[in-house]
Every structure is written in C-alpha cells, then in structure tokens.
PDB file of all heavy atoms in Angstrom:
ATOM      1  N   GLY A 281    -119.780 225.467-106.503  1.00 96.00           N
ATOM      2  CA  GLY A 281    -119.586 225.577-105.066  1.00 96.00           C
ATOM      3  C   GLY A 281    -118.530 224.633-104.529  1.00 96.00           C
ATOM      4  O   GLY A 281    -118.358 223.507-105.011  1.00 96.00           O
ATOM      5  N   ILE A 282    -117.807 225.099-103.511  1.00 96.00           N
ATOM      6  CA  ILE A 282    -116.872 224.260-102.747  1.00 96.00           C
ATOM      7  C   ILE A 282    -117.072 224.587-101.269  1.00 96.00           C
ATOM      8  O   ILE A 282    -117.033 225.755-100.875  1.00 96.00           O
ATOM      9  CB  ILE A 282    -115.400 224.525-103.123  1.00 96.00           C
ATOM     10  CG1 ILE A 282    -115.089 223.987-104.521  1.00 96.00           C
ATOM     11  CG2 ILE A 282    -114.462 223.863-102.113  1.00 96.00           C
ATOM     12  CD1 ILE A 282    -113.652 224.183-104.947  1.00 96.00           C
ATOM     13  N   GLY A 283    -117.253 223.567-100.448  1.00 94.00           N
ATOM     14  CA  GLY A 283    -117.363 223.761 -99.007  1.00 94.00           C
ATOM     15  C   GLY A 283    -115.982 223.891 -98.395  1.00 94.00           C
ATOM     16  O   GLY A 283    -115.268 222.892 -98.227  1.00 94.00           O
ATOM     17  N   VAL A 284    -115.581 225.112 -98.062  1.00 96.00           N
ATOM     18  CA  VAL A 284    -114.225 225.360 -97.545  1.00 96.00           C
ATOM     19  C   VAL A 284    -114.054 224.715 -96.169  1.00 96.00           C
ATOM     20  O   VAL A 284    -113.089 223.975 -95.920  1.00 96.00           O
ATOM     21  CB  VAL A 284    -113.942 226.875 -97.472  1.00 96.00           C
ATOM     22  CG1 VAL A 284    -112.536 227.136 -96.935  1.00 96.00           C
ATOM     23  CG2 VAL A 284    -114.118 227.513 -98.846  1.00 96.00           C
ATOM     24  N   SER A 285    -114.975 224.981 -95.254  1.00 95.00           N
ATOM     25  CA  SER A 285    -114.872 224.385 -93.920  1.00 95.00           C
ATOM     26  C   SER A 285    -115.099 222.875 -93.980  1.00 95.00           C
ATOM     27  O   SER A 285    -114.523 222.115 -93.193  1.00 95.00           O
ATOM     28  CB  SER A 285    -115.854 225.049 -92.953  1.00 95.00           C
ATOM     29  OG  SER A 285    -117.157 225.128 -93.488  1.00 95.00           O
ATOM     30  N   ARG A 286    -115.929 222.412 -94.917  1.00 93.00           N
ATOM     31  CA  ARG A 286    -116.115 220.971 -95.089  1.00 93.00           C
ATOM     32  C   ARG A 286    -114.803 220.323 -95.508  1.00 93.00           C
ATOM     33  O   ARG A 286    -114.459 219.229 -95.041  1.00 93.00           O
ATOM     34  CB  ARG A 286    -117.198 220.698 -96.128  1.00 93.00           C
ATOM     35  CG  ARG A 286    -117.289 219.236 -96.523  1.00 93.00           C
ATOM     36  CD  ARG A 286    -118.439 218.948 -97.461  1.00 93.00           C
ATOM     37  NE  ARG A 286    -119.661 218.757 -96.712  1.00 93.00           N
ATOM     38  CZ  ARG A 286    -120.672 217.980 -97.119  1.00 93.00           C
ATOM     39  NH1 ARG A 286    -120.583 217.346 -98.275  1.00 93.00           N
ATOM     40  NH2 ARG A 286    -121.742 217.848 -96.396  1.00 93.00           N
ATOM     41  N   LEU A 287    -114.055 220.977 -96.398  1.00 95.00           N
ATOM     42  CA  LEU A 287    -112.751 220.450 -96.789  1.00 95.00           C
ATOM     43  C   LEU A 287    -111.824 220.339 -95.589  1.00 95.00           C
ATOM     44  O   LEU A 287    -111.091 219.356 -95.445  1.00 95.00           O
ATOM     45  CB  LEU A 287    -112.121 221.342 -97.863  1.00 95.00           C
ATOM     46  CG  LEU A 287    -112.444 221.002 -99.314  1.00 95.00           C
ATOM     47  CD1 LEU A 287    -111.891 222.080-100.240  1.00 95.00           C
ATOM     48  CD2 LEU A 287    -111.888 219.642 -99.696  1.00 95.00           C
ATOM     49  N   MET A 288    -111.837 221.335 -94.719  1.00 96.00           N
ATOM     50  CA  MET A 288    -111.012 221.272 -93.520  1.00 96.00           C
ATOM     51  C   MET A 288    -111.392 220.059 -92.683  1.00 96.00           C
ATOM     52  O   MET A 288    -110.528 219.330 -92.180  1.00 96.00           O
ATOM     53  CB  MET A 288    -111.172 222.558 -92.704  1.00 96.00           C
ATOM     54  CG  MET A 288    -110.360 222.573 -91.422  1.00 96.00           C
ATOM     55  SD  MET A 288    -110.534 224.167 -90.553  1.00 96.00           S
ATOM     56  CE  MET A 288    -109.628 223.807 -89.036  1.00 96.00           C
ATOM     57  N   GLY A 289    -112.702 219.826 -92.533  1.00 94.00           N
ATOM     58  CA  GLY A 289    -113.159 218.678 -91.762  1.00 94.00           C
ATOM     59  C   GLY A 289    -112.750 217.367 -92.393  1.00 94.00           C
ATOM     60  O   GLY A 289    -112.326 216.431 -91.693  1.00 94.00           O
ATOM     61  N   LEU A 290    -112.849 217.265 -93.714  1.00 94.00           N
ATOM     62  CA  LEU A 290    -112.491 216.021 -94.388  1.00 94.00           C
ATOM     63  C   LEU A 290    -110.989 215.775 -94.324  1.00 94.00           C
ATOM     64  O   LEU A 290    -110.550 214.633 -94.130  1.00 94.00           O
ATOM     65  CB  LEU A 290    -112.957 216.054 -95.840  1.00 94.00           C
ATOM     66  CG  LEU A 290    -112.676 214.768 -96.635  1.00 94.00           C
ATOM     67  CD1 LEU A 290    -113.334 213.555 -95.975  1.00 94.00           C
ATOM     68  CD2 LEU A 290    -113.131 214.907 -98.073  1.00 94.00           C
ATOM     69  N   ILE A 291    -110.187 216.830 -94.476  1.00 95.00           N
ATOM     70  CA  ILE A 291    -108.736 216.676 -94.354  1.00 95.00           C
ATOM     71  C   ILE A 291    -108.393 216.162 -92.956  1.00 95.00           C
ATOM     72  O   ILE A 291    -107.571 215.246 -92.796  1.00 95.00           O
ATOM     73  CB  ILE A 291    -108.016 218.007 -94.642  1.00 95.00           C
ATOM     74  CG1 ILE A 291    -108.151 218.370 -96.123  1.00 95.00           C
ATOM     75  CG2 ILE A 291    -106.548 217.929 -94.263  1.00 95.00           C
ATOM     76  CD1 ILE A 291    -107.709 219.784 -96.458  1.00 95.00           C
ATOM     77  N   ALA A 292    -109.030 216.737 -91.928  1.00 94.00           N
ATOM     78  CA  ALA A 292    -108.788 216.294 -90.550  1.00 94.00           C
ATOM     79  C   ALA A 292    -109.215 214.845 -90.360  1.00 94.00           C
ATOM     80  O   ALA A 292    -108.562 214.083 -89.635  1.00 94.00           O
ATOM     81  CB  ALA A 292    -109.531 217.200 -89.576  1.00 94.00           C
ATOM     82  N   GLU A 293    -110.307 214.460 -90.996  1.00 92.00           N
ATOM     83  CA  GLU A 293    -110.821 213.096 -90.874  1.00 92.00           C
ATOM     84  C   GLU A 293    -109.933 212.107 -91.624  1.00 92.00           C
ATOM     85  O   GLU A 293    -109.645 211.014 -91.134  1.00 92.00           O
ATOM     86  CB  GLU A 293    -112.241 213.044 -91.452  1.00 92.00           C
ATOM     87  CG  GLU A 293    -112.985 211.764 -91.192  1.00 92.00           C
ATOM     88  CD  GLU A 293    -113.821 211.811 -89.926  1.00 92.00           C
ATOM     89  OE1 GLU A 293    -114.438 212.844 -89.633  1.00 92.00           O
ATOM     90  OE2 GLU A 293    -113.842 210.771 -89.232  1.00 92.00           O
ATOM     91  N   HIS A 294    -109.488 212.508 -92.799  1.00 90.00           N
ATOM     92  CA  HIS A 294    -108.778 211.602 -93.698  1.00 90.00           C
ATOM     93  C   HIS A 294    -107.302 211.473 -93.340  1.00 90.00           C
ATOM     94  O   HIS A 294    -106.738 210.374 -93.364  1.00 90.00           O
ATOM     95  CB  HIS A 294    -108.921 212.103 -95.138  1.00 90.00           C
ATOM     96  CG  HIS A 294    -108.401 211.150 -96.162  1.00 90.00           C
ATOM     97  ND1 HIS A 294    -109.138 210.082 -96.630  1.00 90.00           N
ATOM     98  CD2 HIS A 294    -107.208 211.086 -96.810  1.00 90.00           C
ATOM     99  CE1 HIS A 294    -108.433 209.411 -97.518  1.00 90.00           C
ATOM    100  NE2 HIS A 294    -107.255 210.003 -97.651  1.00 90.00           N
ATOM    101  N   PHE A 295    -106.655 212.606 -93.026  1.00 92.00           N
ATOM    102  CA  PHE A 295    -105.223 212.598 -92.730  1.00 92.00           C
ATOM    103  C   PHE A 295    -105.017 212.643 -91.213  1.00 92.00           C
ATOM    104  O   PHE A 295    -104.690 213.681 -90.633  1.00 92.00           O
ATOM    105  CB  PHE A 295    -104.523 213.781 -93.398  1.00 92.00           C
ATOM    106  CG  PHE A 295    -104.611 213.755 -94.895  1.00 92.00           C
ATOM    107  CD1 PHE A 295    -105.481 214.602 -95.563  1.00 92.00           C
ATOM    108  CD2 PHE A 295    -103.842 212.879 -95.637  1.00 92.00           C
ATOM    109  CE1 PHE A 295    -105.570 214.581 -96.952  1.00 92.00           C
ATOM    110  CE2 PHE A 295    -103.930 212.844 -97.025  1.00 92.00           C
ATOM    111  CZ  PHE A 295    -104.792 213.698 -97.680  1.00 92.00           C
ATOM    112  N   ALA A 296    -105.194 211.504 -90.577  1.00 92.00           N
ATOM    113  CA  ALA A 296    -105.036 211.411 -89.134  1.00 92.00           C
ATOM    114  C   ALA A 296    -104.637 209.993 -88.781  1.00 92.00           C
ATOM    115  O   ALA A 296    -104.871 209.053 -89.550  1.00 92.00           O
ATOM    116  CB  ALA A 296    -106.328 211.801 -88.417  1.00 92.00           C
ATOM    117  N   ASP A 297    -104.015 209.833 -87.621  1.00 92.00           N
ATOM    118  CA  ASP A 297    -103.690 208.501 -87.115  1.00 92.00           C
ATOM    119  C   ASP A 297    -104.045 208.437 -85.641  1.00 92.00           C
ATOM    120  O   ASP A 297    -104.743 209.327 -85.125  1.00 92.00           O
ATOM    121  CB  ASP A 297    -102.216 208.162 -87.371  1.00 92.00           C
ATOM    122  CG  ASP A 297    -101.251 209.167 -86.743  1.00 92.00           C
ATOM    123  OD1 ASP A 297    -101.655 209.876 -85.781  1.00 92.00           O
ATOM    124  OD2 ASP A 297    -100.088 209.242 -87.190  1.00 92.00           O
ATOM    125  N   ASP A 298    -103.574 207.412 -84.940  1.00 90.00           N
ATOM    126  CA  ASP A 298    -103.957 207.255 -83.541  1.00 90.00           C
ATOM    127  C   ASP A 298    -103.310 208.278 -82.618  1.00 90.00           C
ATOM    128  O   ASP A 298    -103.677 208.386 -81.448  1.00 90.00           O
ATOM    129  CB  ASP A 298    -103.638 205.836 -83.051  1.00 90.00           C
ATOM    130  CG  ASP A 298    -102.160 205.484 -83.196  1.00 90.00           C
ATOM    131  OD1 ASP A 298    -101.395 206.283 -83.796  1.00 90.00           O
ATOM    132  OD2 ASP A 298    -101.764 204.416 -82.714  1.00 90.00           O
ATOM    133  N   LYS A 299    -102.367 209.064 -83.150  1.00 93.00           N
ATOM    134  CA  LYS A 299    -101.720 210.098 -82.345  1.00 93.00           C
ATOM    135  C   LYS A 299    -102.343 211.480 -82.535  1.00 93.00           C
ATOM    136  O   LYS A 299    -102.183 212.358 -81.683  1.00 93.00           O
ATOM    137  CB  LYS A 299    -100.229 210.170 -82.678  1.00 93.00           C
ATOM    138  CG  LYS A 299     -99.451 208.922 -82.307  1.00 93.00           C
ATOM    139  CD  LYS A 299     -97.991 209.066 -82.679  1.00 93.00           C
ATOM    140  CE  LYS A 299     -97.206 207.812 -82.316  1.00 93.00           C
ATOM    141  NZ  LYS A 299     -95.767 207.948 -82.709  1.00 93.00           N
ATOM    142  N   GLY A 300    -103.011 211.671 -83.682  1.00 95.00           N
ATOM    143  CA  GLY A 300    -103.619 212.971 -83.920  1.00 95.00           C
ATOM    144  C   GLY A 300    -103.716 213.306 -85.390  1.00 95.00           C
ATOM    145  O   GLY A 300    -103.783 212.426 -86.251  1.00 95.00           O
ATOM    146  N   LEU A 301    -103.726 214.604 -85.677  1.00 96.00           N
ATOM    147  CA  LEU A 301    -103.865 215.102 -87.044  1.00 96.00           C
ATOM    148  C   LEU A 301    -102.565 214.948 -87.824  1.00 96.00           C
ATOM    149  O   LEU A 301    -101.481 214.883 -87.234  1.00 96.00           O
ATOM    150  CB  LEU A 301    -104.265 216.584 -87.006  1.00 96.00           C
ATOM    151  CG  LEU A 301    -105.605 216.889 -86.339  1.00 96.00           C
ATOM    152  CD1 LEU A 301    -105.672 218.350 -85.922  1.00 96.00           C
ATOM    153  CD2 LEU A 301    -106.753 216.545 -87.275  1.00 96.00           C
ATOM    154  N   VAL A 302    -102.677 214.889 -89.156  1.00 96.00           N
ATOM    155  CA  VAL A 302    -101.506 214.833 -90.036  1.00 96.00           C
ATOM    156  C   VAL A 302    -101.784 215.758 -91.214  1.00 96.00           C
ATOM    157  O   VAL A 302    -102.258 215.342 -92.262  1.00 96.00           O
ATOM    158  CB  VAL A 302    -101.234 213.398 -90.538  1.00 96.00           C
ATOM    159  CG1 VAL A 302     -99.942 213.363 -91.347  1.00 96.00           C
ATOM    160  CG2 VAL A 302    -101.160 212.412 -89.382  1.00 96.00           C
ATOM    161  N   TRP A 303    -101.518 217.051 -91.048  1.00 96.00           N
ATOM    162  CA  TRP A 303    -101.873 218.024 -92.081  1.00 96.00           C
ATOM    163  C   TRP A 303    -100.971 217.907 -93.303  1.00 96.00           C
ATOM    164  O   TRP A 303     -99.743 217.829 -93.172  1.00 96.00           O
ATOM    165  CB  TRP A 303    -101.751 219.452 -91.535  1.00 96.00           C
ATOM    166  CG  TRP A 303    -102.724 219.799 -90.470  1.00 96.00           C
ATOM    167  CD1 TRP A 303    -102.461 219.971 -89.144  1.00 96.00           C
ATOM    168  CD2 TRP A 303    -104.143 220.017 -90.640  1.00 96.00           C
ATOM    169  NE1 TRP A 303    -103.625 220.279 -88.474  1.00 96.00           N
ATOM    170  CE2 TRP A 303    -104.666 220.313 -89.359  1.00 96.00           C
ATOM    171  CE3 TRP A 303    -104.996 219.982 -91.725  1.00 96.00           C
ATOM    172  CZ2 TRP A 303    -106.009 220.582 -89.151  1.00 96.00           C
ATOM    173  CZ3 TRP A 303    -106.346 220.249 -91.530  1.00 96.00           C
ATOM    174  CH2 TRP A 303    -106.838 220.544 -90.254  1.00 96.00           C
ATOM    175  N   PRO A 304    -101.531 217.937 -94.518  1.00 94.00           N
ATOM    176  CA  PRO A 304    -100.701 218.116 -95.715  1.00 94.00           C
ATOM    177  C   PRO A 304     -99.986 219.466 -95.628  1.00 94.00           C
ATOM    178  O   PRO A 304    -100.510 220.425 -95.060  1.00 94.00           O
ATOM    179  CB  PRO A 304    -101.727 218.111 -96.859  1.00 94.00           C
ATOM    180  CG  PRO A 304    -102.951 217.459 -96.296  1.00 94.00           C
ATOM    181  CD  PRO A 304    -102.966 217.802 -94.840  1.00 94.00           C
ATOM    182  N   GLU A 305     -98.795 219.536 -96.196  1.00 91.00           N
ATOM    183  CA  GLU A 305     -97.995 220.759 -96.058  1.00 91.00           C
ATOM    184  C   GLU A 305     -98.700 221.983 -96.624  1.00 91.00           C
ATOM    185  O   GLU A 305     -98.515 223.096 -96.136  1.00 91.00           O
ATOM    186  CB  GLU A 305     -96.631 220.564 -96.729  1.00 91.00           C
ATOM    187  CG  GLU A 305     -95.738 219.607 -95.966  1.00 91.00           C
ATOM    188  CD  GLU A 305     -94.362 219.494 -96.599  1.00 91.00           C
ATOM    189  OE1 GLU A 305     -93.810 220.530 -97.029  1.00 91.00           O
ATOM    190  OE2 GLU A 305     -93.841 218.369 -96.664  1.00 91.00           O
ATOM    191  N   ASN A 306     -99.492 221.815 -97.663  1.00 92.00           N
ATOM    192  CA  ASN A 306    -100.164 222.948 -98.293  1.00 92.00           C
ATOM    193  C   ASN A 306    -101.147 223.666 -97.382  1.00 92.00           C
ATOM    194  O   ASN A 306    -101.436 224.841 -97.586  1.00 92.00           O
ATOM    195  CB  ASN A 306    -100.924 222.473 -99.542  1.00 92.00           C
ATOM    196  CG  ASN A 306    -100.119 222.667-100.799  1.00 92.00           C
ATOM    197  OD1 ASN A 306     -99.055 223.265-100.783  1.00 92.00           O
ATOM    198  ND2 ASN A 306    -100.619 222.157-101.897  1.00 92.00           N
ATOM    199  N   VAL A 307    -101.716 222.978 -96.421  1.00 95.00           N
ATOM    200  CA  VAL A 307    -102.753 223.586 -95.581  1.00 95.00           C
ATOM    201  C   VAL A 307    -102.385 223.644 -94.107  1.00 95.00           C
ATOM    202  O   VAL A 307    -103.123 224.202 -93.304  1.00 95.00           O
ATOM    203  CB  VAL A 307    -104.106 222.857 -95.747  1.00 95.00           C
ATOM    204  CG1 VAL A 307    -104.567 222.896 -97.191  1.00 95.00           C
ATOM    205  CG2 VAL A 307    -104.033 221.424 -95.247  1.00 95.00           C
ATOM    206  N   ALA A 308    -101.261 223.062 -93.718  1.00 95.00           N
ATOM    207  CA  ALA A 308    -100.864 223.023 -92.302  1.00 95.00           C
ATOM    208  C   ALA A 308    -100.732 224.426 -91.722  1.00 95.00           C
ATOM    209  O   ALA A 308    -100.332 225.360 -92.417  1.00 95.00           O
ATOM    210  CB  ALA A 308     -99.545 222.275 -92.158  1.00 95.00           C
TER     211      ALA A 308
END
C-alpha cells in the first residue's frame, strides 16, 4: 500500500517555506 493523498500532504508539509508551497517539479 501507498497513501497517495497522504503523500500529497507530506510533500506540502515538507517542501514549504514562510511564503508558501514549494512543489518538486515531478508533482507540481
């Protein structure tokens, strides 16, 4: 199993700064 929406949440949580989201190019 892989949580697809959970991955989206973790990417949003992990790749962010004080201005907002920072999406990796593969999923932006």
Side-chain angles (χ1 to χ4, degrees):
I282 289 181
V284 180
S285 49
R286 171 175 276 209
L287 271 173
M288 179 177 174
L290 182 58
I291 291 169
E293 190 92 39
H294 188 82
F295 298 104
D297 58 22
D298 58 353
K299 295 179 180 179
L301 298 160
V302 185
W303 294 108
E305 289 184 41
N306 264 353
V307 301

